[in-house]
Amino acid sequence: MRSPDNKQGRENWGSRLGFIMAASGFAIGLGNIWRFPYVAGENGGGAFLLIYIMIVIVIGIPLFLAEAGLGRKAQSAAIIGLRKLNGKGNPWVSIGWLGTITALLVTSYYLMIMGWLFAYFFKVGIGSFQGVTSDQAAVIYEDFISNPVAVIGYTIIPTLILGFIVAKGVKSGIEKFVKTVMPLFIVMLIILAVFSLSLPGSFEGVVWYLKPDFSQITASTVLAALGQAFFSIGIGMAAAFTYGSYLKPKKSNLAEDGVWVISLDTFIAFLSGLVIFPALFAFQMEPNSGPGLIFMTLPALIEQMPLGYLFGLFFFFLIIIGALTTGVGLIETLAANTAELLDIKRKTSVWIVISVTFILAIPSILSQGPWSHVQILGMDIFGFVDFFSGNILLTLAGLLLALYVVFQWEVRNFIDDINFGTSFIRLPEALKPIVTYVIPLVIAAIMISGLI
């Protein structure tokens, strides 16, 4: 079978920093800046944040290391990699298929959201929100997303950008891109957080964000936190598997690198709240306005705040960078699996994936306008795909991965494999009962209770 990186053989990351930046870039994206604030807003703020951090530490880190570790062992993308490790007809290969399908569904609406971001960056740049109120910003938002021609036009921009980056390869494309934009992303986010916290009245937003209200914690809150952790970190989308497969098996320090990746991801999610919530409270705006938070509330907000024009440009440019680094990981995951399954060259697989995901984005785009009447379980197409992929498939994939570690990989071998090559941070023996019992039972219980 031809390698997905064609005649030159399978690529590896050019440096340890390259893997950390790429994996962090995949995790740090719309999951942190777009999805985290509105999910937190809908689930009680500080209470949700506390549950989220606990889930990341207890469940997120081990599962990320497991998925990336399997990729490092297999030296292939998820589907072919699990076939290598377990045999072609083995049921555990379904984890690779499930992750790839989940990545496909997430990408299908992720492209649409990226189109929205590019549109709003241009709208802020030309002053479309000068003098608008929250109600007027909501009208602008609804008019835009309900216009499929405009949305499709803007969606083409990030789709082509992602295609060109991924088609260049792991080192020359993905690694070079993330090592350039990730430091810029972090610096810009810190600047915005400092600015937001400096606004009069912002402290009330900090209190709301950080003070836990345990009365807000329900089964659905915990399920939302679990789904958000998986969505943000990227567990269950086969991306960690794919990125891990580009690590050199005997010359990589996965345990330490994985902790860096998850720590950066959690820090960015936390910092994103410090950008948005203090600013919202400073101008008496609601923090729980759902998916339209950054498209309806923030445009009106930047009009009211000092230097709001610059804040808006910075903010939307920031989330465009974050969205692109995540999109690169999604497209790479799909392209790597496609290249191996169809035995085709990398560039060919990239443009096949780009074409298919763009076509699949159209139903979500239409569901905000001409197809808004189409409902699935009381949700429009976009809402259903987001819920099904983010809360169901990601959770199921995480559960299967946890069970794989226990029954197929075996926890002792898992700990030894992850610790191979590490010089400082090692998975402790005390983790064994957590991986064996706590993680699978918690995921299963949360998934069941949240769906009842």
Side-chain angles (χ1 to χ4, degrees), residues 83-140:
R83 285 180 182 176
K84 284 183 179 180
L85 297 174
N86 304 284
K88 186 174 182 179
N90 194 291
W92 291 113
V93 178
S94 63
I95 296 175
W97 283 103
L98 182 60
T100 304
I101 291 170
T102 304
L104 182 65
L105 292 176
V106 171
T107 308
S108 72
Y109 72 79
Y110 209 82
L111 292 177
M112 176 188 74
I113 302 299
M114 292 174 72
W116 294 0
L117 294 174
F118 272 88
Y120 266 62
F121 178 75
F122 290 130
K123 286 178 182 292
V124 171
I126 63 176
S128 297
F129 299 106
Q130 290 183 2
V132 302
T133 64
S134 296
D135 290 340
Q136 291 170 332
V139 172
I140 292 173

Side-chain angles (χ1 to χ4, degrees), residues 84 97 135 145 175 191 200 281 331 342 398:
K84 284 183 179 180
W97 283 103
D135 290 340
I145 67 170
E175 184 170 352
I191 291 173
F281 276 84
I331 297 299
L342 301 181

